Amino acid sequence: MDADIAYDLDFRTQAQRRRGSGVVLLLMAGALWIWSGFLLLRPVPHPFEDCRPPAFAFDHVVERCSTGDFVGFPVFLIALALPLAVFGAMIYSAATTRLDMSEHLTAMQGLADKQRRKQGGSGAAG
């Protein structure tokens, strides 16, 4: 019985560690999204005129301010963040499911033990 408890504790510890790594991946993806958003919302540096941020420049000023060079890096950051977010969400949800199932199994075993003790106690009295 002690080996079962040790295995369950080890199982839960590994699941919590995996869930933590999923959170780290999700935070990294979020940081990349924030960074790319900052790059898209800040004004574009240009020596001759004031250029609006790439996210808000929809008119002919974009052609004079840049050729799209300032949009490429934020798009790269978003493309880099996408697999991090997907894998982070997968790892987090799988680890959370493992923890929930472990807790459910422990509760079911506790109910089964309680039921056996109850049946054993009523059988001895009867």
Side-chain angles (χ1 to χ4, degrees):
M1 189 71 167
D2 290 335
D4 292 340
I5 293 172
Y7 176 77
D8 186 51
L9 289 176
D10 185 49
F11 184 82
R12 287 182 188 203
T13 303
Q14 286 180 358
Q16 288 172 344
R17 211 174 290 135
R18 287 182 183 160
R19 185 168 64 175
S21 64
V23 168
V24 168
L25 287 175
L26 286 170
L27 288 174
M28 288 172 54
L32 289 174
W33 273 91
I34 290 171
W35 187 14
S36 67
F38 170 75
L39 291 175
L40 286 173
L41 295 177
R42 73 181 176 125
V44 176
H46 195 270
F48 301 116
E49 60 184 283
D50 292 333
C51 295
R52 294 190 308 199
F56 300 118
F58 297 113
D59 56 1
H60 60 86
V61 177
V62 174
E63 296 172 8
R64 289 184 299 197
C65 288
S66 71
T67 59
D69 297 338
F70 296 105
V71 179
F73 187 63
V75 170
F76 169 74
L77 290 177
I78 292 172
L80 186 64
L82 184 64
L84 288 176
V86 168
F87 288 126
M90 285 179 6
I91 291 171
Y92 180 82
S93 62
T96 301
T97 301
R98 290 176 68 138
L99 282 171
D100 289 345
M101 293 306 294
S102 177
E103 290 173 6
H104 176 71
L105 182 61
T106 302
M108 293 300 290
Q109 288 173 345
L111 287 174
D113 290 343
K114 188 176 181 181
Q115 186 68 25
R116 272 183 289 204
R117 277 185 259 136
K118 186 177 178 182
Q119 288 177 351
S122 64

